[in-house]
Amino acid sequence: MIGSKGKVGKASAAARFAAATPSGDFSIQEDKPYAELWMGTHPSLPSKDLETQRTLLDLVQDNQALMSTEIGQRYGGKLPFLFKVLSIRKALSIQAHPNKKLAEELHSKDPKNYPDDNHKPEMTIAITPFDGLCGFRPLAEISHYLSTVPSLRKLVGDSAAENFEKAVKGHETSNDEQDLEKNKKALQNVFSALMKCEKSDVSAATKDLLAAAKKEGESFAGNGGPSNGGQELADLVIRLNSQFEGDIGLFVLFFLNYVKLEVGEAMFLKADDIHAYLSGDIMECMASSDNVVRAGFTPKFQDIPTLTTMLTYSYAPISEQKMNPVDYPYVTLNSVAYSSASSTTLYDPPIEEFSVVKTDLKKQGAKATFEAIEGPSIVICTKGQGKITVGPKEEDMKEGFVYFVGATAELVLESSCDDFTVFKAFCDLTGKEGPKS
């Protein structure tokens, strides 16, 4: 929960939500940073039942009907997803999460740094404005920065930069299979050249980069590129250097998409996709794993050889990583909800472990009745107050309250105010939440 990169005191949504738990023993200290709130059965930090203090892992393993037989068997009696609130003040590490096969290999060889054998695809939904570095930029943008940021080109090396430019020129956006593989290999080579630089060289190059960012403003990095303006990139370099002086991440940002999410916007990252979250409060849902391969913006263990060999080296504009949420179809809104433009929005990534529904009830008395599903759910209120009803049991629902809902249970949310927001993460292998591709 406490993390040096988290927002401080009550500015942290993770801290506020954690402190909301009735009769909990956590209280916010205004001078401390708070980064994460975990909800799930992951053994590193399993959720607990408020009344009995038993872990959620114990509860679902004692009663597999809470998960459904199929989900319990497929995922070893554990919740298939981990739901989090992240409150980010300072850049999180440049990282990727291994696929299932690599996770098993890394865990077997180095269980200290890779604590489990699962993959970790993840989805991010902004609850305050968010920014981050996510996935490789289109190749033409990378070529542009290699030619307009002298300190970047010097660090990568003229030979590596030229080899990349020649390899991709003329077919940067080709969909031909051979071109794609050739482009990915060229990207891997030039990115690996950057990541293998000596720290002393990175430190020297940073001085030149920082001087250019401060001096050039809007004309920095060749006036920026199609995705980001020069001033925006200059400000980003200055800001990140103030957090991690002389870090390789200051140069990695020219290879990665710089993305901003407004409240309610989301993106999905497959296993082996590179990213670094920079600031904001988010709901994050992922396969139940804590495996992270790091390579910048961190004092923690870094594994650059693994990172540079594991990445997919897929490249695309950020618009292709942003999700397109849809209305959730398996819910009934009452007349108050309809007339107040209340909504239930489905974020459905192309994997089976999880989906998320965001419910916004916009008037007191607005009600959403969710059909039962063949799988477990975790429900958290992020704004306002209301009631949650599961079967015959009704409970208060306020900002930060978290509930586990077992399989086959109908769920009803009712607002007691004019702005009630609830997120529900769930797993349903029957496909009720939509087709998985």
Side-chain angles (χ1 to χ4, degrees):
M1 172 77 213
I2 292 178
S4 62
K5 297 184 177 185
K7 291 187 176 182
V8 177
K10 291 189 177 75
S12 167
R16 293 198 312 274
F17 296 166
T21 303
S23 69
D25 57 3
F26 171 74
S27 60
I28 299 174
Q29 297 182 46
E30 283 303 330
D31 60 342
K32 283 195 172 181
Y34 299 93
E36 302 188 24
L37 173 65
W38 288 27
M39 297 164 280
T41 59
H42 195 282
S44 295
L45 197 62
S47 299
K48 291 183 179 179
D49 178 81
L50 184 62
E51 293 178 0
T52 66
Q53 290 300 299
R54 292 183 66 194
T55 68
L56 181 57
L57 181 59
D58 284 343
L59 292 170
V60 298
Q61 289 186 335
D62 276 358
N63 183 1
Q64 283 290 298
L66 292 171
M67 300 271 283
S68 87
T69 302
E70 185 179 3
I71 290 174
Q73 290 176 347
R74 184 172 301 193
Y75 296 104
K78 300 172 185 176
L79 206 62
F81 60 84
L82 178 60
F83 205 19
K84 293 184 182 181
V85 180
L86 265 60
S87 294
I88 308 157
R89 172 184 55 89
K90 186 177 179 182
L92 304 187
S93 60
I94 295 167
Q95 60 185 256
H97 307 297
N99 61 45
K100 189 73 170 76
K101 182 181 178 185
L102 180 59
E104 291 168 353
E105 293 172 4
L106 293 173
H107 177 63
S108 177
K109 288 191 299 186
D110 186 2
K112 177 184 176 183
N113 288 303
Y114 302 105
D116 57 68
D117 62 359
N118 202 15
H119 68 164
K120 193 181 175 185
E122 64 187 34
M123 178 170 66
T124 294
I125 306 170
I127 57 174
T128 65
F130 162 91
D131 69 340
L133 303 172
C134 303
F136 286 103
R137 294 178 182 271
L139 300 182
E141 289 189 31
I142 296 172
S143 293
H144 169 79
Y145 293 127
L146 284 170
S147 65
T148 59
V149 183
S151 53
L152 172 64
R153 191 179 189 90
K154 182 178 179 181
L155 204 53
V156 168
D158 263 331
S159 176
E162 287 174 8
N163 289 341
F164 171 76
E165 290 161 345
K166 289 176 183 176
V168 305
K169 189 171 183 179
H171 47 85
E172 295 95 336
T173 58
S174 171
N175 290 319
D176 178 79
E177 200 63 41
Q178 285 188 322
D179 286 343
L180 286 169
E181 288 309 307
K182 184 181 176 184
N183 287 349
K184 287 181 180 181
K185 188 62 181 175
L187 179 55
Q188 180 177 8
N189 289 339
V190 72
F191 183 70
S192 297
L194 173 66
M195 297 307 294
K196 292 173 182 175
C197 288
E198 296 292 334
K199 285 188 177 181
S200 57
D201 293 333
V202 176
S203 181
T206 297
K207 293 177 182 177
D208 294 337
L209 180 70
L210 199 60
K214 290 178 177 178
K215 178 183 177 183
E216 296 171 12
E218 189 55 47
S219 64
F220 178 66
N223 298 305
S227 303
N228 308 114
Q231 187 66 60
E232 183 177 47
L233 287 173
D235 291 344
L236 184 61
V237 166
I238 294 167
R239 169 183 146 203
L240 292 177
N241 186 69
S242 72
Q243 298 176 7
F244 293 95
E245 187 175 358
D247 193 274
I248 190 68
L250 301 174
F251 297 91
V252 171
L253 69 85
F254 294 103
F255 281 80
L256 305 186
N257 288 302
Y258 176 52
V259 58
K260 294 180 177 180
L261 298 181
E262 297 302 323
V263 174
E265 288 191 306
M267 61 185 179
F268 174 69
L269 294 162
K270 301 185 296 292
D272 301 331
D273 276 353
I274 189 169
H275 58 283
Y277 297 161
L278 302 181
S279 71
D281 297 285
I282 59 175
M283 301 302 304
E284 187 179 41
C285 200
M286 64 201 71
S288 188
S289 171
D290 196 27
N291 286 323
V292 183
V293 183
R294 300 179 182 88
F297 292 152
T298 181
K300 295 181 180 178
F301 171 72
Q302 298 188 36
D303 191 348
I304 290 171
T306 296
L307 184 90
T308 54
T309 54
M310 71 181 274
L311 297 175
T312 61
Y313 291 99
S314 296
Y315 49 89
I318 194 60
S319 58
E320 293 188 20
Q321 280 189 300
K322 284 188 178 181
M323 300 187 70
N324 295 306
V326 297
D327 290 340
Y328 183 68
Y330 303 106
V331 63
T332 301
L333 300 180
N334 70 356
S335 58
V336 178
Y338 270 118
S339 63
S340 58
S342 298
S343 61
T344 52
T345 305
L346 173 66
Y347 302 85
D348 192 30
I351 56 169
E352 66 179 19
E353 283 95 335
F354 61 84
S355 302
V356 173
V357 174
K358 176 177 182 265
T359 301
D360 290 296
L361 298 180
K362 295 296 187 180
K363 191 171 183 181
Q364 183 174 349
K367 183 186 292 188
T369 302
F370 291 84
E371 295 179 22
I373 59 172
E374 293 293 327
S377 304
I378 287 180
V379 184
I380 179 171
C381 174
T382 60
K383 187 191 296 183
Q385 58 188 12
K387 300 284 186 182
I388 180 172
T389 304
V390 178
K393 193 169 186 179
E394 182 182 270
E395 297 282 354
D396 288 333
M397 193 73 168
K398 299 178 181 179
E399 180 183 284
F401 282 23
V402 182
Y403 291 93
F404 174 81
V405 180
T408 71
E410 183 184 81
L411 166 66
V412 181
L413 298 172
E414 183 172 0
S415 180
S416 302
C417 63
D418 291 339
D419 198 2
F420 181 49
T421 300
V422 174
F423 286 87
K424 179 175 89 111
F426 64 96
C427 177
D428 179 10
L429 300 180
T430 65
K432 174 171 274 194
E433 78 282 10
K436 300 287 185 180
S437 57

